[in-house]
Amino acid sequence: MLKEIFEYYHLINRLEKFLLINKNSGAVYKIDPKLGEILASNLNNNYSNLFLPQEMELELRELLGEKSNLEILKESAKKLEKRTAHPKAFCLNVAHSCNLSCLYCFAEKGYREEDNQKLMSEKTARRAIDFLFAAPYPVIELDFFGGEPLLNWKAVKNSIIYAGEKTRFSGKKIKLALTTNGILLTQDICRFLNQYEVNLTLSLDGPKEVHNDLRILNNGKGSFDSSFYKIKQAVFSRNYQNYYIRGTYTKKTLNFSKAANFFIEENLENFSLEPVISKDTPWSLDFEDLPIIEQEYEILANLLVKRKKEGKPFSFYHFNLNLYNSPCIEKRLQSCGVGVEYLAITPQGEIYPCHQLTGYKEFKLGDIFQGIDIEKQEIFKKIHFLNSKDCLTCWAKIYCAGGCIANNYYFSSSLFKPPELFCALLKIRLEYALALSVE
Amino acid sequence: MGKYIKLIVNPQLKNGGCMTCQSSCQTACKTSATVSNQPCEREK
């Protein structure tokens, strides 16, 4: 039965291209449009009445001989579960305080209300940096995050200088990043961040009416005018390099291709647009929004095709697939290293598995003064897509690595159960990314 | 392959774990991304 083939392959029909993806190896095949049309027309009846001309059928049957990579993945997963834990990347929450009150902010759900100490002391920051440098990796990462990290600029600045000095003695390389809403950026701050090659993630949701919808100042007014011009200046000051505009779209701002157009018009051509992580609010996404979201990714993908032809491409983070220089097995299995390689540090020096799980006391892993509770860390070593039932049969697993476990926990109350809505969304986005990657 | 089906890429699932590459949450989105937009940096 030809139908059997589709237990192992997923058909993609995007941007007038047809692709087949092997669910267990990740192999990508381009399909002739004649065959693609026939397969696509049989998709809804699950290929049960699929009949093909003989030469097409023979070629399709050859795909059944394709090697699965599941056994290799399982072997690597066993090793991952037994690995010795060392931190590689710290998200340093230097300020659990913000000059904005964005209605969709995940910090509201976690840490902001209950903290007594809102700003990280320089001593705590230095201790965290020492902790990170003690790890045996040649490249380590430090991301200044909040709240709004520039509310604690002095600690940020001195931490960067301190980390820079430590690289000289340790021989390690450090990658620095800072996520900001831009309001407190000054020329001096930009100059310093540029000098130390700190990658900037700048929060901007789109044009004024979109941005102001949910990104509001503490006085309730929209923050666009306070953020936008500072962000533009910061990007200009670094010659449009080493930055990403990070936008969020919500149920109320579903037409995110307009935000993309706005960024491009404003020469802010490195951007990502992320679905809001929220439930039971007027701005939360749900399944009925998927057709519009799909349409928006289609518009964005077609815009990229057009701009590439004109020699003016832009960089939308999620469309930047690199099929030919792929990540290693370990990365494909568990992606971010939450709770093991990637950790978040609160202003008090508490250690959490990631910035989105900060404040969830059940996941507190210790602190930078006493160390990590390795027993509590054990469950995070088991995080990989082979431990998620929903991922096992999914075609996207080799490319998505099982998604975000903080999202899993937030929506499904389980670290191992990905939320259906976000899987559906990610798969749409990935289909366009794959179609864009194939000539 | 043949006339109707062409292999574009069969991603090599090679052992690595050298941790030279960037952790996904340190990149642009601060939420989970697909891993394929985080290529192996050792082979750049």
Side-chain angles (χ1 to χ4, degrees), chain A residues 374-388:
Chain A
I374 53 172
E375 280 184 21
K376 287 187 85 171
Q377 205 173 22
E378 276 302 303
I379 192 165
F380 292 98
K381 291 186 189 175
K382 294 184 172 58
I383 287 170
H384 53 73
F385 67 70
L386 293 172
N387 276 339
S388 167

Side-chain angles (χ1 to χ4, degrees), chain A residues 236-263:
Chain A
F236 174 75
S237 78
R238 53 181 51 217
N239 295 322
Y240 300 92
Q241 302 292 315
N242 302 325
Y243 78 94
Y244 256 97
I245 301 297
R246 199 277 192 204
T248 300
Y249 65 84
T250 75
K251 191 181 193 66
K252 297 172 78 188
T253 55
L254 281 177
N255 300 114
F256 56 84
S257 63
K258 285 184 184 165
N261 270 308
F262 172 75
F263 296 150

Side-chain angles (χ1 to χ4, degrees), chain A residues 395-407:
Chain A
W395 68 268
K397 58 184 175 286
I398 305 262
Y399 290 95
C400 94
C404 171
I405 71 106
N407 288 358

